[in-house]
Amino acid sequence: MTRSAAHELGEFLKARRAELDPRSVGLPDSGSPRRVPGLRREEVARLVAISTDYYTRLEQGRMQVSEQVLDAIVRVLRLDEDQREYVFQLAGKESGRSRREEVQQVNAQLQRLLDDMSSIPAMVLGRQMDVLAWNPLAAALVGDFGQIPEKDRNYAKMVFSDRMKGLYADWEATARMTVAQLRMEAAHNAGSARLTALVRELSERDGDFRQWWAEHHVSARTVGAKTLNHPIAGTLTLEWDTLTCTSDPEQQLVIWTAEPGTPTHDGLRILASWAAGSSQGQPAPGTKG
């Protein structure tokens, strides 16, 4: 486990125990006010059946932890599956060397799949949520990726842009999830200089990101639903799903779909028509040329 991973593990555990009500884990309520919210270190240690000193050093990033102890901590802190994966990723980094950060190229089969998807918005995300590839409908839906410099072509950066704040109906929920997913990326890419620079940039630029990053929530990129207020297609409520590339698990195809016959499905068809016309210099549907 690297020093940065050990520090992050300690901060994450500290944040999680602060969220727990002592009564929720079977501890009696003394009735006296607590100096800090949540569980005390000694209470966690007692429930895990380790010494307070051991647990304290773990939170301070000064202790290697066994799988058995980590499993017990996961149970005591009521961590979900995403959070469990996150702490095991952090604790499992035995080598102190940073992985070489090679420039990613979109998988050729994923690119061919994108090229054939004309009615479904889709894009490929790589490490640190970099946007590696996209189809025209995805660009029409969330923004023209081609106009963004490659070094800034990152979905987390885009979410915290002014345009995205107006596009997502519930931007805060989307942004919080993005931060939690970026946290998960940090576990897979411990010691990444690029990720450190990205977090520093977003923290300096956006107070919300800085606050939510400090909360240490994590989430895997799986499935969900989002509502967008699109300037051309109107209100779109889209279900999204994530497909992981078998030959390169660090590349994921993200797709947005809608139930046929719904207003959102019709809106996507309008947007697809506009995207096709726009590429040929035609006006948007419903406008005069």
Side-chain angles (χ1 to χ4, degrees), residues 210-234:
R210 184 166 58 250
Q211 175 186 336
W212 299 333
W213 183 260
E215 292 175 357
H216 293 265
H217 291 295
V218 293
S219 176
R221 197 158 46 245
T222 52
V223 298
K226 294 177 181 177
T227 299
L228 283 66
N229 295 319
H230 197 276
I232 292 172

Short mmCIF file of all heavy atoms in Angstrom, two decimals, residues 210-234:
data_model
loop_
_atom_site.label_atom_id
_atom_site.label_comp_id
_atom_site.label_asym_id
_atom_site.label_seq_id
_atom_site.Cartn_x
_atom_site.Cartn_y
_atom_site.Cartn_z
N ARG A 210 -14.75 20.87 -4.37
CA ARG A 210 -13.83 20.81 -3.22
C ARG A 210 -14.53 20.23 -1.99
O ARG A 210 -13.98 19.38 -1.30
CB ARG A 210 -13.29 22.21 -2.93
CG ARG A 210 -12.26 22.28 -1.83
CD ARG A 210 -11.54 23.62 -1.84
NE ARG A 210 -12.45 24.74 -1.69
CZ ARG A 210 -12.74 25.61 -2.66
NH1 ARG A 210 -12.22 25.48 -3.88
NH2 ARG A 210 -13.57 26.63 -2.44
N GLN A 211 -15.76 20.67 -1.75
CA GLN A 211 -16.52 20.18 -0.58
C GLN A 211 -16.87 18.70 -0.73
O GLN A 211 -16.69 17.91 0.19
CB GLN A 211 -17.79 21.00 -0.42
CG GLN A 211 -18.71 20.49 0.70
CD GLN A 211 -20.04 21.22 0.73
OE1 GLN A 211 -20.14 22.35 0.25
NE2 GLN A 211 -21.06 20.58 1.27
N TRP A 212 -17.38 18.32 -1.91
CA TRP A 212 -17.83 16.94 -2.10
C TRP A 212 -16.66 15.97 -2.17
O TRP A 212 -16.78 14.83 -1.73
CB TRP A 212 -18.70 16.85 -3.36
CG TRP A 212 -19.93 17.70 -3.25
CD1 TRP A 212 -20.58 18.07 -2.10
CD2 TRP A 212 -20.66 18.33 -4.32
NE1 TRP A 212 -21.66 18.88 -2.38
CE2 TRP A 212 -21.74 19.05 -3.74
CE3 TRP A 212 -20.51 18.34 -5.71
CZ2 TRP A 212 -22.65 19.77 -4.50
CZ3 TRP A 212 -21.42 19.05 -6.47
CH2 TRP A 212 -22.47 19.76 -5.87
N TRP A 213 -15.54 16.41 -2.71
CA TRP A 213 -14.35 15.55 -2.73
C TRP A 213 -13.90 15.24 -1.30
O TRP A 213 -13.48 14.12 -0.99
CB TRP A 213 -13.22 16.21 -3.51
CG TRP A 213 -11.99 15.37 -3.64
CD1 TRP A 213 -10.84 15.46 -2.90
CD2 TRP A 213 -11.78 14.29 -4.56
NE1 TRP A 213 -9.93 14.50 -3.30
CE2 TRP A 213 -10.48 13.77 -4.32
CE3 TRP A 213 -12.55 13.71 -5.57
CZ2 TRP A 213 -9.93 12.71 -5.06
CZ3 TRP A 213 -12.01 12.65 -6.31
CH2 TRP A 213 -10.72 12.17 -6.04
N ALA A 214 -14.00 16.21 -0.42
CA ALA A 214 -13.57 16.04 0.98
C ALA A 214 -14.50 15.10 1.74
O ALA A 214 -14.12 14.60 2.81
CB ALA A 214 -13.52 17.39 1.68
N GLU A 215 -15.69 14.82 1.23
CA GLU A 215 -16.62 13.92 1.91
C GLU A 215 -16.29 12.45 1.68
O GLU A 215 -16.84 11.58 2.36
CB GLU A 215 -18.05 14.22 1.44
CG GLU A 215 -18.55 15.58 1.93
CD GLU A 215 -19.93 15.93 1.36
OE1 GLU A 215 -20.47 15.12 0.55
OE2 GLU A 215 -20.45 17.00 1.71
N HIS A 216 -15.43 12.16 0.71
CA HIS A 216 -14.91 10.78 0.49
C HIS A 216 -16.01 9.76 0.17
O HIS A 216 -15.91 8.60 0.57
CB HIS A 216 -14.11 10.31 1.70
CG HIS A 216 -12.84 11.07 1.93
ND1 HIS A 216 -11.61 10.65 1.46
CD2 HIS A 216 -12.62 12.24 2.56
CE1 HIS A 216 -10.69 11.52 1.80
NE2 HIS A 216 -11.27 12.50 2.46
N HIS A 217 -17.04 10.16 -0.57
CA HIS A 217 -18.02 9.18 -1.03
C HIS A 217 -17.51 8.53 -2.31
O HIS A 217 -16.79 9.15 -3.10
CB HIS A 217 -19.38 9.84 -1.29
CG HIS A 217 -20.07 10.30 -0.05
ND1 HIS A 217 -20.51 9.44 0.93
CD2 HIS A 217 -20.38 11.56 0.40
CE1 HIS A 217 -21.06 10.11 1.92
NE2 HIS A 217 -20.99 11.41 1.62
N VAL A 218 -17.86 7.25 -2.51
CA VAL A 218 -17.42 6.54 -3.71
C VAL A 218 -18.60 5.84 -4.37
O VAL A 218 -19.58 5.49 -3.71
CB VAL A 218 -16.32 5.50 -3.39
CG1 VAL A 218 -15.05 6.16 -2.94
CG2 VAL A 218 -16.81 4.49 -2.35
N SER A 219 -18.50 5.66 -5.70
CA SER A 219 -19.54 4.97 -6.44
C SER A 219 -18.94 4.39 -7.72
O SER A 219 -18.13 5.04 -8.38
CB SER A 219 -20.68 5.93 -6.80
OG SER A 219 -21.66 5.30 -7.58
N ALA A 220 -19.35 3.16 -8.04
CA ALA A 220 -18.95 2.57 -9.31
C ALA A 220 -19.86 3.12 -10.41
O ALA A 220 -20.99 3.53 -10.16
CB ALA A 220 -19.05 1.06 -9.25
N ARG A 221 -19.35 3.13 -11.65
CA ARG A 221 -20.15 3.57 -12.78
C ARG A 221 -20.93 2.36 -13.29
O ARG A 221 -20.34 1.44 -13.87
CB ARG A 221 -19.23 4.16 -13.87
CG ARG A 221 -19.94 4.99 -14.89
CD ARG A 221 -19.01 5.95 -15.60
NE ARG A 221 -17.77 5.35 -16.04
CZ ARG A 221 -16.58 5.70 -15.55
NH1 ARG A 221 -16.49 6.63 -14.63
NH2 ARG A 221 -15.48 5.13 -15.99
N THR A 222 -22.25 2.34 -13.08
CA THR A 222 -23.05 1.17 -13.44
C THR A 222 -24.25 1.57 -14.30
O THR A 222 -24.15 1.64 -15.52
CB THR A 222 -23.52 0.44 -12.17
OG1 THR A 222 -24.17 1.40 -11.28
CG2 THR A 222 -22.36 -0.21 -11.44
N VAL A 223 -25.40 1.84 -13.66
CA VAL A 223 -26.62 2.22 -14.37
C VAL A 223 -27.30 3.36 -13.62
O VAL A 223 -27.01 3.62 -12.45
CB VAL A 223 -27.60 1.04 -14.52
CG1 VAL A 223 -26.99 -0.08 -15.33
CG2 VAL A 223 -28.02 0.53 -13.14
N GLY A 224 -28.24 4.02 -14.28
CA GLY A 224 -28.97 5.08 -13.61
C GLY A 224 -29.88 5.80 -14.60
O GLY A 224 -30.10 5.36 -15.73
N ALA A 225 -30.44 6.92 -14.16
CA ALA A 225 -31.31 7.74 -15.01
C ALA A 225 -31.01 9.21 -14.76
O ALA A 225 -30.68 9.60 -13.63
CB ALA A 225 -32.78 7.44 -14.72
N LYS A 226 -31.11 10.01 -15.82
CA LYS A 226 -30.86 11.44 -15.71
C LYS A 226 -31.86 12.19 -16.56
O LYS A 226 -32.27 11.71 -17.62
CB LYS A 226 -29.43 11.78 -16.17
CG LYS A 226 -28.33 11.21 -15.29
CD LYS A 226 -26.96 11.54 -15.84
CE LYS A 226 -25.86 10.94 -14.95
NZ LYS A 226 -24.51 11.16 -15.50
N THR A 227 -32.25 13.38 -16.09
CA THR A 227 -33.14 14.24 -16.85
C THR A 227 -32.35 15.46 -17.33
O THR A 227 -31.66 16.11 -16.54
CB THR A 227 -34.34 14.70 -16.01
OG1 THR A 227 -35.08 13.54 -15.59
CG2 THR A 227 -35.23 15.63 -16.79
N LEU A 228 -32.43 15.72 -18.62
CA LEU A 228 -31.72 16.84 -19.23
C LEU A 228 -32.71 17.84 -19.79
O LEU A 228 -33.75 17.46 -20.35
CB LEU A 228 -30.80 16.35 -20.36
CG LEU A 228 -29.48 15.68 -20.00
CD1 LEU A 228 -29.70 14.36 -19.31
CD2 LEU A 228 -28.64 15.47 -21.26
N ASN A 229 -32.39 19.12 -19.66
CA ASN A 229 -33.17 20.18 -20.28
C ASN A 229 -32.41 20.63 -21.53
O ASN A 229 -31.56 21.52 -21.47
CB ASN A 229 -33.35 21.35 -19.31
CG ASN A 229 -34.18 20.96 -18.10
OD1 ASN A 229 -35.18 20.25 -18.23
ND2 ASN A 229 -33.79 21.42 -16.92
N HIS A 230 -32.69 19.96 -22.63
CA HIS A 230 -31.90 20.19 -23.84
C HIS A 230 -32.47 21.35 -24.66
O HIS A 230 -33.69 21.47 -24.82
CB HIS A 230 -31.88 18.92 -24.70
CG HIS A 230 -30.80 18.91 -25.72
ND1 HIS A 230 -30.93 19.51 -26.96
CD2 HIS A 230 -29.54 18.41 -25.67
CE1 HIS A 230 -29.81 19.36 -27.64
NE2 HIS A 230 -28.94 18.69 -26.89
N PRO A 231 -31.62 22.24 -25.15
CA PRO A 231 -32.11 23.43 -25.87
C PRO A 231 -32.83 23.11 -27.17
O PRO A 231 -33.62 23.93 -27.65
CB PRO A 231 -30.82 24.23 -26.13
CG PRO A 231 -29.71 23.22 -26.05
CD PRO A 231 -30.15 22.24 -25.04
N ILE A 232 -32.61 21.94 -27.76
CA ILE A 232 -33.25 21.58 -29.02
C ILE A 232 -34.31 20.50 -28.82
O ILE A 232 -35.44 20.62 -29.31
CB ILE A 232 -32.20 21.09 -30.04
CG1 ILE A 232 -31.30 22.26 -30.45
CG2 ILE A 232 -32.86 20.46 -31.27
CD1 ILE A 232 -30.11 21.87 -31.29
N ALA A 233 -33.97 19.46 -28.08
CA ALA A 233 -34.87 18.31 -27.92
C ALA A 233 -35.82 18.44 -26.75
O ALA A 233 -36.69 17.58 -26.56
CB ALA A 233 -34.04 17.03 -27.79
N GLY A 234 -35.67 19.47 -25.93
CA GLY A 234 -36.55 19.65 -24.79
C GLY A 234 -36.15 18.80 -23.60
O GLY A 234 -34.99 18.43 -23.45
#
